[in-house]
Every structure is written in C-alpha cells, then in structure tokens.
Amino acid sequence: MFVKILLIIIFIAIAVGVGIYTRRAASRDVDGFILGGRNVGPWLSAFAYGTAYFSAVVFIGYAGQFGWKYGMAATWAGIGNAVIGSLLAWWVLGPRTREVTQRLKASTMPEFFGKRYKSKGLRIASAAIIFVFLIPYTASVYNGLSRLFTMAFGVPYEWCVIGMGIVPYTWCVIAMAVFTGIYVILGGYMATVVNDFLQGIVMLVGITAVIIAVLQTQGGLSEAVVQLSQIQAPGTDQLGAFTSFLGPDFLNLMGVVILTSLGTWGLPQMVQKFYAIKSGPAIKQGAIISTVFAFVIAGGSYFLGGFGQLFGDQIAYAANGTPVYDSIIPTMLSNLPDVLIGLVIVLVLSASMSTLSSLVLTSSSVLTLDLIKGNIVKEMNEKKQIVWIRALLVVFVAISALIAVFQYQSSVTWIAQLMGISWGALAGAFLGPMLWGLYSKRISKAAVWASFIVGVGLTTVNMIMGFVGTPLIASPINAGAIAMILSIVIVPVVSLFTKAVPFEVNPPSPESGTDRELYAELEAMPDAKASTRREIVAGANVEEIELLDQEQGEERRE
C-alpha cells in the first residue's frame, strides 16, 4: 500500500510542478494558453497526441471489452490506431491543418468551421455539439480510472471518482480543482504537453512491464496462447477462435477499428494538436514518433486484453450474466506485486489525466471563444478570455465527476449510452467538413450542415431507439463508424448540388503543406537569411532550420 501511495504522490508532485513552471507562457495571451503559442516541437506534440488518444477508456474499457470479445485479434484495433489514427492522421491532416488554421487565425475547431465556411451558425452549432458530447466522454475517463482504484485500494467507487481514492466526497471540488487547477488552469496547453511527454514515458515503460508480468502469471506467452486456444467462442463449435488471425467476429471488429482509428480525424481535442505544432519538419518527425507510441500503447493494451478470457472465473458479471467489461483488466492485474500495481496506477493516471486535461481545455476554450465571446459577452479582451477559460475548466471537471457518480448510483442508462456514442457523434459530424475543408475549395455550407445533422442524428437516434426498444444498428460502435464514413461521403456529394463557399486551397502537389509553409516564411525574411534558409530547406537539415528559427526569434525580441 505504501509503495502505491508513494508513486501517486510523486506523480501529483511532478504534474503540479510542471504546471507552476509553465504558468508564465500560459498567461501571455489566449493563443499561448490554449495552443502554446503554436510553437510546440515534434516530441511534445507527438506525445501529447498519443496520451490524449489513449486513456483509461482504452486501457480499462475498450481493451477489456474487445479483448474479451475478439481475443488476440483485438490487436488489430491497436494496429489501426497506429496506422490510421496516428500515421495517416499526421500525414493527411497535420500540415494542412497547421497551414490553414494559421492563415485563418483559428484557435478552435468551431472557429475553423466559422471562418472556413463563413458561417456564424456553423461555429455556434459545432461548439454546442462539442459541449454536449465531450462532457460525457470526460466522465467515462473517470469511470475507467475509478475501477482501477477500487481494485488497487479497496475504496468505494464514489471516492475514486471524486477524490481518486485519496479524499472523501466532501473534498470533491477541492481535490480536483487543486490538482487539475495547478496542472492545467495555471499552465494551460504547455503544462499539458510537458506533462504528457513525461507521462508518455511512464506509459511506455508501464505497458511493457504489465504485459510481461500478466503473461508470466499464466505460464508465459506460449502457455497463455495454448490455454486461450482451448476456449470456445460464442456462436462457434470450433476451438482456437480467440487465437486466430481474424478472431471470432472480424466484421464487428472492423467497426471497432474504424471508430477508434478514423475517429481521431474528427475529434476536436485531437485535431487541435496540429494547430499548435511548430512549422517545418516538426510535423514529419511527430508523425513517426506518434505512430511508434501508438503501436506500443494501443497495440499492447489490446493485446493484453485479448487474454481476458483466461480470467473468466474471476471477473465480475452483471445480473443478466454478461461480463462487466470494465472489471476485466483490473482483475487481470489484481494479483500482481504492489510495485507493479503502483506502476499500473501511475500508467493509467498518466493516460487519464492527460486525456482529461486535453478534454477540459478543449471544452472550456470552445465554450468561451465560440459561444460566450461575442454572443453572451459582447466585449471580451485577452485577459478576460483567459479568466473565463480557467473558470470553466473547474466547472467542466466538477460536472464530469458528478455525471460519473450519478450514472453509477442511478438506474439511468442513457448517460452511459451517451458516453459510448461520444466518439461517433463528434467524428461523424466533424470528420467530413474538416477533411474536405482542407483539401477542396468546392465545399458548401449546406454540406457541412448535412454532415452535422447526419453524424449527431444517426448516433443519437440509434441510442434513443435502443433505449426504448430495438436500435436501428445493434452496435453503437458500428453506428459511430458508419456515421464517420457517411460524413466523408455526404460532404462532397451535397456540395455538388449546392453553392460552394469561396476559399483558396492549395492543390495537392509533391511539395507538402509543411514545405509550402516554410517557403512562405521566407518572404518575411531578409534576403541574405532567406537565401541561406532556402539552401537548408532543400537539404532538409532540421538542426540548422531550428537554429535559424531561434536566431530569428532573438532578432524579433531585440
């Protein structure tokens, strides 16, 4: 017990220290607070992307649930997360998102929609969608984290949600406000990315150690695979389905891959990482770093979950006999030594708090800049905007914790369902308008509205139909995946028959968006330095480019 508590104290102390250290950069202006001044390097950006991607929802919830259903084939979800959700996202969205949002001076996704499509209505609508669906997703982060704390410390679930196993309900707002407050409210985006980098290292070490330790409890990898192959999958008389290449239900598994991989392309808290990254080769470097990170974390988590069936006699079951999926991973870890359990706690804390900070920072900045500013509060200077964002950060953290507690204690199921459709609704609404808005100048305002309506409408109506009777699509995962694909198709199709919004888009060419941005910077530089920089860019000498960036920054300050 002492080791576990000590590791948590060290974790909190480091996070708080980083928040204090980065507070000056966060207080300069709104751009500095929510985007780090758009000057974040590749390592910090890549780790921030990865740690925001993978939280307790993935490690505790999805890895346990889909590992149980699909066995070792669930690892395909991790591979999809790395290739589609990370590598292709960085290659396809990264350069153009950085380039276009810089040109539009857009700090949030709703602001991008409003300026790109010249519509205040789209900006407000997208902000409202984010507000409605990000809070339940934030609450789901608490749920997964709390299951782990219940296993590790044997404390009530409510205490875990509110005080992370350390303080009782009375101290809810104080505990979360102090921790998240110093961590995010004072340090802003830079506090999150620096902490994300440190926490990402913990996650890489932790997931590797946990996989080895859990498999050792089953006699090693070979023995665990043999045992798993002897378990019969539902709906088949054959053995070995859980160790097969495609698993017992490959079609539904592909729905999981699409939702969890393609979904990141339309999630505001993920796309926003591209707004903040430093121009130049940083995006290319970040793509590789982020992909490797995803292979280890996501691939490792789903691979571990694939052995969940070996613990079928130990996990919790609901009254109707179905497994409590959130209990599978905690059960697999329950017999590990205290040191490893402590490492797992810090691992999941790292993943969850990085995701939580990203979610609440996105929610509070969107609500402040896209709904309150100019609509409710007509005049709002930079200082007031930062005050509003910081105040709403506390509000969002408190609301999310209360939702998690209420959902657990009551018989109301629609909150849990809302958590489950958050990814599908958000990405189903935003993926098409974001992607096509970066690559095509023929996209119409009506097409964006159609994507919003179909993405939110399909996932929400499907949830309501399931609540009152039979859903249109049995799996909410598949409903979300279908909504994303429809978004990509609907936007260009509707644009063929409706008036396009004029916008200058650089056509695809061998020269990347990153290169175009580099050459654009040359226009503002003295002739001598521009000539030197052209030679360096042509040779792709990253170190010299960064050195010139530093020299140029020093000249501006002088």
Side-chain angles (χ1 to χ4, degrees):
M1 181 67 75
F2 172 76
V3 173
K4 291 182 277 189
I5 294 176
L6 178 62
L7 288 174
I8 292 174
I9 292 173
I10 294 173
F11 169 84
I12 293 175
I14 292 174
V16 169
V18 169
I20 295 173
Y21 177 76
T22 56
R23 70 188 185 282
R24 290 184 180 178
S27 301
R28 293 172 186 167
D29 52 32
V30 173
D31 206 44
F33 189 84
I34 65 176
L35 295 177
R38 297 181 187 264
N39 196 38
V40 183
W43 282 91
L44 292 182
S45 293
F47 272 66
Y49 186 92
T51 54
Y53 195 164
F54 309 114
S55 68
V57 176
V58 173
F59 186 73
I60 301 296
Y62 282 4
Q65 177 180 353
F66 302 131
W68 178 272
K69 288 183 176 180
Y70 308 118
M72 294 178 65
T75 309
W76 279 111
I79 295 172
N81 292 173
V83 176
I84 302 172
S86 295
L87 183 62
L88 291 181
W90 279 74
W91 280 356
V92 176
L93 295 181
R96 283 179 180 262
T97 299
R98 176 68 169 79
E99 183 183 22
V100 173
T101 57
Q102 181 93 352
R103 193 195 330 162
L104 294 175
K105 292 180 169 40
S107 300
T108 64
M109 185 178 279
E111 189 174 11
F112 166 80
F113 289 139
K115 292 183 176 180
R116 165 63 179 84
Y117 299 107
K118 298 178 175 60
S119 171
K120 186 176 181 180
L122 286 175
R123 182 174 180 174
I124 294 173
S126 56
I129 293 170
I130 290 171
F131 174 76
V132 170
F133 288 99
L134 272 193
I135 286 184
Y137 179 50
T138 307
S140 69
V141 175
Y142 285 105
N143 273 338
L145 186 61
S146 301
R147 296 284 183 186
L148 184 67
F149 267 83
T150 300
M151 176 275 294
F153 294 102
V155 295
Y157 173 88
E158 296 83 355
W159 286 33
C160 292
V161 170
I162 297 164
M164 305 238 261
I166 301 172
V167 293
Y169 181 87
T170 310
W171 294 93
C172 167
V173 177
I174 296 176
M176 293 307 300
V178 169
F179 185 37
T180 307
I182 298 177
Y183 174 8
V184 186
I185 298 172
L186 293 183
Y189 186 78
M190 283 308 299
T192 67
V193 296
V194 173
N195 267 314
D196 289 347
F197 178 74
L198 299 175
Q199 293 162 4
I201 294 173
V202 173
M203 291 169 66
L204 290 171
V205 174
I207 191 66
T208 305
V210 166
I211 291 173
I212 294 172
V214 170
L215 291 179
Q216 285 300 317
T217 65
Q218 300 300 310
L221 175 60
S222 299
E223 181 61 26
V225 171
V226 171
Q227 293 180 45
L228 188 63
S229 68
Q230 301 304 309
I231 298 176
Q232 183 175 314
T236 177
D237 295 330
Q238 296 181 345
L239 300 176
F242 288 121
T243 56
S244 65
F245 186 69
L246 301 180
D249 188 0
F250 188 70
L251 186 62
N252 281 317
L253 175 57
M254 285 300 98
V256 175
V257 173
I258 293 172
L259 179 80
T260 60
S261 302
L262 196 59
T264 59
W265 294 40
L267 294 178
Q269 76 274 16
M270 301 301 297
V271 176
Q272 193 171 18
K273 301 294 187 273
F274 301 133
Y275 292 29
I277 192 170
K278 183 165 59 176
S279 61
I283 292 178
K284 296 179 180 178
Q285 293 173 296
I288 303 302
I289 298 166
S290 177
T291 302
V292 174
F293 184 89
F295 263 119
V296 176
I297 301 301
S301 296
Y302 286 109
F303 177 75
L304 177 65
F307 292 93
Q309 289 279 350
L310 299 180
F311 298 81
D313 59 341
Q314 303 174 39
I315 66 170
Y317 288 86
N320 60 3
T322 59
V324 177
Y325 294 120
D326 285 354
S327 72
I328 294 174
I329 296 295
T331 299
M332 295 173 72
L333 305 175
S334 60
N335 293 322
L336 298 182
D338 271 5
V339 173
L340 279 179
I341 291 181
L343 181 61
V344 171
I345 293 170
V346 174
L347 184 161
V348 180
L349 262 177
S350 298
S352 299
M353 293 310 298
S354 59
T355 301
L356 178 63
S357 63
S358 179
L359 290 171
V360 296
L361 186 59
T362 299
S363 300
S364 59
S365 59
V366 163
L367 191 60
T368 299
L369 301 178
D370 301 306
L371 283 179
I372 297 176
K373 179 186 174 184
N375 297 307
I376 298 174
V377 180
K378 299 298 182 182
E379 298 294 331
M380 189 183 291
N381 59 29
E382 293 270 338
K383 186 175 180 180
K384 285 184 178 180
Q385 291 173 43
I386 294 176
V387 170
W388 271 94
I389 292 172
R390 283 174 164 159
L392 288 172
L393 276 167
V394 178
V395 173
F396 278 118
V397 169
I399 290 175
S400 301
L402 291 174
I403 288 176
V405 172
F406 177 72
Q407 189 272 324
Y408 179 80
Q409 291 184 329
S410 70
S411 58
V412 177
T413 60
W414 63 267
I415 295 177
Q417 293 294 324
L418 200 57
M419 294 176 186
I421 70 168
S422 293
W423 270 44
L426 288 165
F430 299 149
L431 199 160
M434 186 74 200
L435 177 63
W436 289 108
L438 296 173
Y439 277 86
S440 175
K441 60 182 179 181
R442 299 181 56 84
I443 303 304
S444 69
K445 197 181 304 182
V448 180
W449 279 113
S451 180
F452 284 8
I453 293 169
V454 171
V456 174
L458 175 61
T459 51
T460 305
V461 168
N462 192 65
M463 179 193 75
I464 294 172
M465 290 179 65
F467 184 67
V468 300
T470 303
L472 181 66
I473 302 169
S475 169
I477 298 290
N478 291 342
I482 291 171
M484 294 175 197
I485 294 172
L486 286 176
S487 177
I488 297 174
V489 174
I490 285 172
V491 171
V493 170
V494 174
S495 295
L496 290 175
F497 307 99
T498 51
K499 184 179 179 181
V501 178
F503 186 75
E504 185 62 32
V505 174
N506 290 316
S509 69
E511 186 182 68
S512 71
T514 300
D515 297 327
R516 288 195 298 273
E517 191 175 353
L518 278 170
Y519 285 118
E521 290 178 1
L522 297 176
E523 302 301 325
M525 297 180 65
D527 291 340
K529 279 193 174 292
S531 177
T532 303
R533 191 178 181 95
R534 284 190 184 94
E535 294 176 3
I536 293 172
V537 170
N541 191 320
V542 175
E543 290 77 11
E544 292 190 36
I545 290 174
E546 292 179 344
L547 181 60
L548 276 179
D549 285 337
Q550 293 173 5
E551 292 175 358
Q552 187 178 3
E554 291 172 0
E555 289 174 1
R556 288 173 179 170
R557 285 193 292 273
E558 291 172 359

